[in-house]
Amino acid sequence: MTADRCVHDLVAEQAARRGTAVALVSGPDRLSYADLDAAATRLARRLTASGVRRGDVVAVHLPRCTDLVVALLGTLRAGAAYLVLDPDLPADRRAALATAARAGTVLGRPLPGLRHVPVAADGGGPVGVAAADSPRDHGAAPADEPAPGGGVRTGGVSLAGNGSGGSAGTVSGDPGDTACVMFTSGSTGAPKGVAAPHRAIVGTLTGQDYLPFTADTVWLSVAPVSWDAFALELWGALCFGGTCVLAPGSRPDPLAMARLVAEHGVTAMYLSASLFSLVVDEYPAALAGLRHLVVGGEAPSPAHVRRALAEYPDLVLRNGYGPVEAMVFVTTHPVDPAADGPVPIGTAIRGKAVHVLDERLRPVADGTVGELYAAGVGIAHGYLHDPAATAERFVASPYGPPGDRLYRTGDLVRWHADGPLEYVGRADAQVKIRGFRVEPAEVEAVLTAYPRVRRAAVAAGTDHRGDRRLVAYLVVDGTPPGVDDLRAHAAATLPDFMVPTAYVPVASLPLTPSGKLDRRALPGAVPEPERDTFLAPSGDPVASVVDTAEPGSSADASTEPPSGPGVPVDVVGVLRRLFGEVLGVPSVGPDDDFFALGGDSLSVARLLIRIRATLDAEPGVRAVFAAPTPAGLAPLVAPEDAAESVAVQHIATPADELTPAQQRLWFLDQVDAGLAYTMPILFRWRGAVDAAALRAALAEVADRHESLRTLFVAVDGRPVRRVLPSVRPVLDVVVGDPAATVEAAARYRFDLAAEPPIRATLCTDPTDPSAHALLLVMHHIAVDGWSLPPLVRDLSTAYAGRLGTRGSAVEERVTRSPDSGATRGRSLHMPEPHLDASTPRTAPTQSARVAPRSVVEQGNEAGLAYWVERLRGMPEGTALPRRADRPAVPAADAATVLRRLDAAAHGALVELARRYGATPFMVLHTALAAVLSAAGAGPDVAVGAPVAGRTRESGDAVGFFVNLVVLRAAVTAGDPVGALLHRVRDADVAAFAHQDTPFESVVAALNPARRPGRHPLADVVLALQNNARATLRLPGVAAPMEVVRTGAARFPLLVDVTDRYDATGAPAGVELTVEYRTDEFAGEVMAWFADALVAVLTALPAHEDTPIGALPGVPPLPPGCPPATAYDPLPTPETVAPHRIEGADGGLVARIAAIWADVLGVPAVGPDDDFFALGGNSLRAVRVAARIATREGLAATANHVFTAPTVRGLVRVLAEVGPAAAAPIPRRPRVPLRTKGSGD
Amino acid sequence: MGTNPFEDDDATYRVLVNDEEQHSLWPVDVTVPAGWRVAVEAASRADCLAYVAEHWTDLRPASLRR
């Protein structure tokens, strides 16, 4: 049978078959199968030469890295079994485990008393393994060191003369040989070493279908290296030719995980149920792109499972169950998102069996609770050097082949009729903490070894979050010991998951009538860590703030907390708050220990995510363990730029997930909006310029603003943000005609997956060498209008800093000028209802929201309901005098018409707005509605409007936050101006009160017909540019920003309004830019449109009672104006797909239908079913296109799905398109990624 | 669900051994499964486990040791 093989033989086969394939990825290291196998073989020879024999146990003392894997494989190849000793375990425990396993040799880092063999031979090491920052372990032991020094060899088990190597120096083993020893908590007070044969590993992986054990699977290894789940991640990849990406460290770091998943295209992963819940709560983007996920260790939360599947409907999610004694999984269950209640543990995997038995070892009836006994290929030999414990847990089987054994799990389960197994609980005291098995007796044994602790009882309680924590109840003699001392004592010998969170002194422990500890009588909840009690961690509860400008300064250096805008962040204060949030503790002192307050590795992960979101820093898991207090962590959180102002922090997006607004823009970029979202801005001045300083300043600005060094990478058609640690934006230096240079450079098309979304051109006029033009070109996904003033200000500052004229740029960061907020806050804000005292004051709450947008989205059902109600039944497109010869899919080519209102007219409009409790925007909207009505738009007029989308947190951060709202108003020519203005105001007030609802959600909910080349729901857009103007300030120069148009239109018709105010705040005039698609409208019609708009705006203030259709001065429609039409009817499936598809392309139709069904999450898709009617949206269209391109080699784009939204139609379109010349979705570049502080 | 049949300190047990010389504690009132012989007929739990500790010195299946 194929499963009966040795692990290393399967890996060697893969090395022979695909030697150059990447076996391992670890930080910057890549190791091919050939190199891995060669390194392991060399190591095996050295192990054999040093005296290791078949049947020995070799301790491998390394963190997760390529050397660890070389060590494991080399050990197996030498015929020995490996014991992984995680360096993160306490030293005492590592030593105890090595002793208990009677390991005589240690690979990797030395351990006292064990013969040390380095993984790599002296003198350079195996090719491909070495990397500058991988942990090296060159020890003193030369390869030919003679047999055992101080180490203890396993007595009685090694077989002298048998298998001590062949000519290859490696051992041909038996699948029954022990491959690994894994320790688990022991109920007798000492850990138990589970000795598992090769057969158990190989049988668990081979011929299985619960996960894809194939060569094209990319695994991410995040499980603790001492777990059996690590064997799954590692050998599940290496025995089958797949790639295993090794996450750094042994403690969960979802931020690092998410990056690795995105960067390496990870497709399969195992997560403990508690880590899974954390990821879903805090960082769901870490699952983006993943295909297969198994959750295990304990029962997963059904709510989290459902949320994950709702977010990633393509994810194949299984619940896995199995104790280490039966190797990784005994049963698995494919999760059905529609099912209610607890997630079942499923049915046995191939080669394994489960029996649910009663107290007489008889099978129980379906639905009756019994104890689970596991059998089959995964069963371990037993507990190493503990035959008695083995004989009571691995017992004779009445149900298998003669002589077979069962492993008695202690888990209580029941069968569902005809269905899977359901987990019920434990038959004994064992508890699971974050998926780790803990026998309370083992913890109790450690605690009672402490002076004055007479008795101890340990039980699992639940904390504020519902997570299980260990609570120790102690009977002590005399004065209770300090909790810190107890904790330190426990942590010195126990792994962190076994260290109790709380310590409660009790007079006595509850006993059963027979005198045993009555665990059920122990309290269930984890006590709140309160101060001034036995439980209190040491530390001053009164706030003290450490001066963060002095890294390493310790606890008591208190200063007053700074306050006010633009001051350094009180990093310690922020950390104290975050500690409290994560731990559910009301007040955290600067010197309170994270772990003393109940922190564990999962809450560390949670903390890290929040630190990144709040402070834009990634200290890494190790930093928190090394410095677990707010004061201690602060210098690590802000390493160089010790004090950064809140204002420059990017928005608290808790993920590498795109905001809805970014998703919208990313999608438009993908469907080839061309240049429409390229944002060029120009500065011109006379004087000197230092190009090198400017280039350095650009890099500094990009360093500072994350959005300027963020790539948007498509993973299976889904966008994921990838933040680069630093970038150097391009600055082209040109001597040439400024106008031509700028025009050409402004038409830059960014590849969002491959380059930072900012670049610049510096042009000097050869006829006038003192005249310079600086063109900054950005992609809208990284900046919006509100971003420009802070960005340009930072550029000015950085440039000055580079020139050395104004002190260091870092100082400048500390004292940010607060002026931008004040400027923006002036009168003409994007309309908000609070301008009118009579309107409901809902907006301030909305605009002051503190949650990031993705969170808001979840809680924004009321907003969505408003929009669905408000926009239901809206006509598709606006009836306007469109060109008769317009193409079906209009191009983005744009033209503009410019008009101006003078200061007097502007003043009259402002005054009119004031009289009606409206904003100038609402007056503009009224005027636009009147002109659209005059143009033939009919009585139901919708206008799109961008809103800033900024919160207090986003402040003046550089980024793309803009949302789009659709303003709908009833308009007839007979409406008096005043009445219409009232109506528009009321409609706008209500709409802006719901401006937080992402436009994408509204589109998804309304599901209007999608049309290629068109923005859904928004045909005509009105924008009031009320963001502050940017000014580039160079030494001696102040150059105002000029907007450069790219010639590409985002909308069919955009009315872009800029209003100006003089130094006293008085209205100084309005500029109107009408930008339109030339495919859609004729120039003379748009000239009329602009003239009519000016005429209406001019007439409004003095004609409040006049019907808007009868305002004076409004010109008639130009002669020959085409009739007003909305959109053409959508093509029907019949017209798209006329004939004969089934013949040649029937197979393709079926395959594409299958892709649709998969992406849409529906059972089947017919050839004429409409993609969008089935729940498709723009992002899903991108996914479909990506898969078609990958699997069929056709150059499909999302636009094709829009053009032909049925499978049959799409096949026809694709037949014309032909094969993909290149992948239509830009491939992600292999830019090296490093995370701060995560290196091992 | 009563007490697990292997966890009753007051009950009487057997020690079973199979062809691989693997040992198993076994409740005295449950039929001995096929492929197992009785090494200890009836004894206390502690005595049975002491017997196992003394006689089962190598966890590996016997076929691997031969």
Side-chain angles (χ1 to χ4, degrees), chain A residues 215-250:
Chain A
D216 56 1
T217 301
V218 180
W219 293 78
L220 179 63
S221 168
V222 293
V225 289
S226 49
W227 265 16
D228 54 342
F230 178 58
L232 167 77
E233 299 165 334
L234 183 66
W235 305 125
L238 298 185
C239 290
F240 305 93
T243 300
C244 185
V245 178
L246 303 171
S250 60

Side-chain angles (χ1 to χ4, degrees), chain A residues 671-700:
Chain A
V671 298
D672 199 22
L675 298 169
Y677 292 92
T678 296
M679 282 182 64
I681 57 174
L682 178 66
F683 303 92
R684 289 185 288 188
W685 72 94
R686 286 178 174 282
V689 67
D690 179 337
L694 198 51
R695 191 174 280 123
L698 273 171
E700 190 175 322

Side-chain angles (χ1 to χ4, degrees), chain A residues 635-670:
Chain A
L636 305 171
V637 165
E640 292 153 275
D641 310 330
E644 276 205 90
S645 90
V646 169
V648 302
Q649 306 308 334
H650 69 97
I651 189 170
T653 301
D656 283 336
E657 202 178 342
L658 279 64
T659 64
Q662 287 174 327
Q663 287 190 8
R664 176 174 81 236
L665 232 55
W666 181 84
F667 167 73
L668 290 168
D669 188 78
Q670 293 293 300

Side-chain angles (χ1 to χ4, degrees), chain A residues 157 174 176-177 359-361 371 373 381-384 387-388 390-398 402-405 408, chain B residues 1-7 16 18 22-26 29 33-36 45 49 52-53 56 58-61 64:
Chain A
V157 290
D174 185 287
D177 285 349
E359 64 273 14
R360 303 257 308 155
L361 303 180
E371 193 167 333
Y373 290 72
H381 287 328
Y383 300 116
L384 197 61
T390 305
E392 61 167 300
R393 294 309 292 208
F394 295 82
V395 300
S397 171
D404 198 24
R405 295 190 303 169
R408 184 160 70 82
Chain B
M1 192 68 206
T3 309
N4 183 281
F6 296 92
E7 297 285 354
L16 309 184
N18 66 7
Q22 293 166 321
H23 288 52
S24 171
L25 189 70
W26 197 252
D29 54 354
W36 294 83
R45 193 173 189 275
L49 293 178
V52 172
W56 191 13
D58 190 341
L59 272 185
R60 292 177 307 156
L64 285 180

Side-chain angles (χ1 to χ4, degrees), chain A residues 287-389:
Chain A
L287 305 178
L290 206 59
R291 299 283 180 79
H292 298 270
L293 174 63
V294 181
V295 172
E298 57 195 312
S301 145
H304 288 84
V305 163
R306 278 195 292 275
R307 270 160 56 198
L309 288 175
E311 180 83 6
Y312 299 105
D314 296 336
L315 183 66
V316 180
L317 180 60
R318 275 177 188 266
N319 185 25
Y321 161 84
V324 57
E325 287 87 345
M327 189 56 77
V328 194
F329 298 131
V330 175
T331 64
T332 68
H333 179 75
V335 176
D336 174 4
D340 284 335
V343 182
I345 59 173
T347 52
I349 66 170
R350 184 175 301 189
K352 302 194 182 186
V354 287
H355 302 280
V356 185
L357 307 179
D358 67 9
E359 64 273 14
R360 303 257 308 155
L361 303 180
R362 298 167 300 199
V364 298
D366 287 357
T368 305
V369 173
E371 193 167 333
L372 179 59
Y373 290 72
V377 71
I379 302 299
H381 287 328
Y383 300 116
L384 197 61
H385 308 303
D386 194 348

